[in-house]
Amino acid sequence: MMDGSASESAYRVLMGVLESRTGQTLSPNRIWRIEMSLKPVMQRHGIADLDALVAALVTSNSRQLLDDTVDAMLNNETYFYREYSVFDEIAATALEKIREINKMRRRLTVWHCGVSTGQEAYSLAMLIAEQGAKWAGWQVDIVGTDVSYHAISRARVGLYSQFEIQRGLPVQRMVRWFDQTEGGWLAKADLRRRVDFSVQNMLTDRPPLASPADLIFCRNLLLYFSAPMRQKAFARLRAMAAPQSFLVLGAGETVLGQTDQFVASPRLRGLYEPADQQGRRAAAA
C-alpha cells in the first residue's frame, strides 16, 4: 500500500493532519498517491522527502506549509453540470417547489458545500439566470464554500482550461457566459457576481449564509469522511437548512444508514429532505 520511500509514521502523521484539518480520511486506494500529490509542495518549499516534510510540519510555524500540504491531499474533482439529470430535476421541480414555499418572502438561498473550483456553483447560477423572469424581484444568494484555499481562489477568478470548460458545459452556454482569453476561458463578470465563494471547513465553520439554505449541494464530499465525521457533517447540514429544503448528494452517496437528519424525498427523485419536514407534512395531512 505504501511504496517504502517514506516511513509508515510519516504517512500516519500526514493522514492525521488531513483528518484533523478537514474531517476527511484517505481510503487505501488514495494513500499511495500521497507522495506524488505532495511532490510539488516539497519542491516549492525546498523539502527533500515525506519524512522531512513531516518534521517541518512539526517544528515549523509556517501556516503556508500546512495549508499547502493539506490542500495537495484533497480531491478537487468537479465539472460543469455534473450528472446532468440532477440539474434537470432541480430546474424542473426542486426550484419550482422552493418558489412556491418562499413566494411571500421571495428569497432563494443555495449553499454549495465542498464547492471545489466552482463549476457546480456556476452551473446553478447559469441555470437560474436563464430562467429569467421567474426570479425577477427575488433575492438569490448562491454561496460556495470549500476547505481548500487554492480551489476557492480558482473559483473566485473563474478561469478554466479548454478541458475544464468543455467538460459538461454545452457550447451555447460556454459562449454566453465565458470569454476566451490567453489564459483560458474566463467567466464573465455577470456570472462571477452571482456566486459568493469563501474558504470554510463545513465541520467547524459557519457558512456565510444570510438565511437558512433552501437548496444544499454536498456532492461527493461525505465519501471521504469516517462514519462519525459523516454524522457530524449531516448534523451541520441540517443546522444550516431551511425547514422546507432539499439536499443534493453525489450519485454514490445516500442518507440510508448514515443519519436520521435527512430522508429521501418522496416528491423529487434523487434528492433528500430534512426528516422533520416529512413529519410535519404527515401531521398536517
Side-chain angles (χ1 to χ4, degrees):
M1 189 184 306
M2 300 178 188
D3 63 9
S5 60
S7 67
E8 290 191 14
S9 62
Y11 284 99
R12 284 197 298 270
V13 170
L14 290 168
M15 291 164 66
V17 167
L18 179 67
E19 184 167 16
S20 66
R21 286 291 302 274
T22 70
Q24 297 188 29
T25 58
L26 287 174
S27 60
N29 65 336
R30 289 178 65 205
I31 292 174
W32 70 271
R33 296 179 60 247
I34 288 181
E35 188 163 10
M36 180 178 65
S37 300
L38 288 172
K39 275 185 178 179
V41 175
M42 292 187 288
Q43 291 172 353
R44 192 158 59 246
H45 289 271
I47 296 172
D49 54 34
L50 289 186
D51 287 300
L53 173 60
V54 168
L57 289 171
V58 172
T59 60
S60 171
N61 292 322
S62 171
R63 174 63 182 268
Q64 189 65 53
L65 176 61
L66 178 59
D67 285 345
D68 288 350
T69 299
V70 171
D71 219 56
M73 290 190 287
L74 296 172
N75 182 1
N76 289 319
E77 170 78 359
T78 188
Y79 49 92
F80 291 101
Y81 293 96
R82 192 173 191 170
E83 297 161 27
Y84 225 103
S85 60
V86 173
F87 282 89
D88 285 343
E89 182 76 5
I90 289 168
T93 53
L95 288 177
E96 289 303 310
K97 292 290 184 184
I98 293 169
R99 273 172 48 79
E100 179 182 340
I101 293 166
N102 293 354
K103 61 185 176 183
M104 298 302 295
R105 61 191 190 97
R106 298 172 72 82
R107 182 162 203 159
L108 168 64
T109 301
V110 182
W111 178 25
H112 287 261
C113 178
V115 73
S116 187
T117 46
Q119 285 95 315
E120 286 194 6
Y122 282 132
S123 296
L124 188 72
M126 285 184 271
L127 188 157
I128 290 174
E130 289 164 4
Q131 289 189 343
K134 282 188 176 182
W135 301 102
W138 282 62
Q139 174 66 43
V140 177
D141 296 319
I142 303 175
V143 174
T145 66
D146 199 282
V147 73
S148 169
Y149 74 92
H150 174 71
I152 289 297
S153 295
R154 286 203 59 209
R156 286 172 175 160
V157 173
L159 183 66
Y160 299 101
S161 68
Q162 187 71 34
F163 172 76
E164 290 171 321
I165 202 71
Q166 290 180 330
R167 195 179 183 198
L169 189 63
V171 173
Q172 63 272 24
R173 280 182 171 145
M174 178 181 72
V175 173
R176 177 176 178 182
W177 293 105
F178 292 83
D179 293 318
Q180 188 171 20
T181 70
E182 290 185 3
W185 288 84
L186 180 65
K188 294 184 178 181
D190 179 48
L191 180 58
R192 296 198 306 272
R193 281 194 296 266
R194 295 173 183 269
V195 187
D196 178 29
F197 293 104
S198 65
V199 178
Q200 299 276 325
N201 183 330
M202 66 94 64
L203 294 173
T204 59
D205 301 326
R206 184 177 182 85
L209 302 176
S211 63
D214 304 295
L215 181 62
I216 299 176
F217 285 75
C218 186
R219 307 184 70 200
N220 305 295
L221 172 62
L222 303 183
L223 291 171
Y224 303 114
F225 288 0
S226 64
M229 288 293 185
R230 201 174 297 131
Q231 290 184 353
K232 185 177 179 180
F234 275 120
R236 170 67 81 171
L237 294 171
R238 179 62 191 93
M240 297 297 105
Q244 298 185 72
S245 56
F246 299 101
L247 170 66
V248 189
L249 299 178
E253 297 173 308
T254 182
V255 301
L256 297 176
Q258 306 293 325
T259 180
D260 58 3
Q261 302 280 342
F262 292 90
V263 294
S265 172
R267 302 176 292 175
L268 305 180
R269 179 169 48 88
L271 302 185
Y272 302 89
E273 301 176 4
D276 54 338
Q277 173 179 329
Q278 290 197 357
R280 283 194 299 269
R281 190 163 53 245

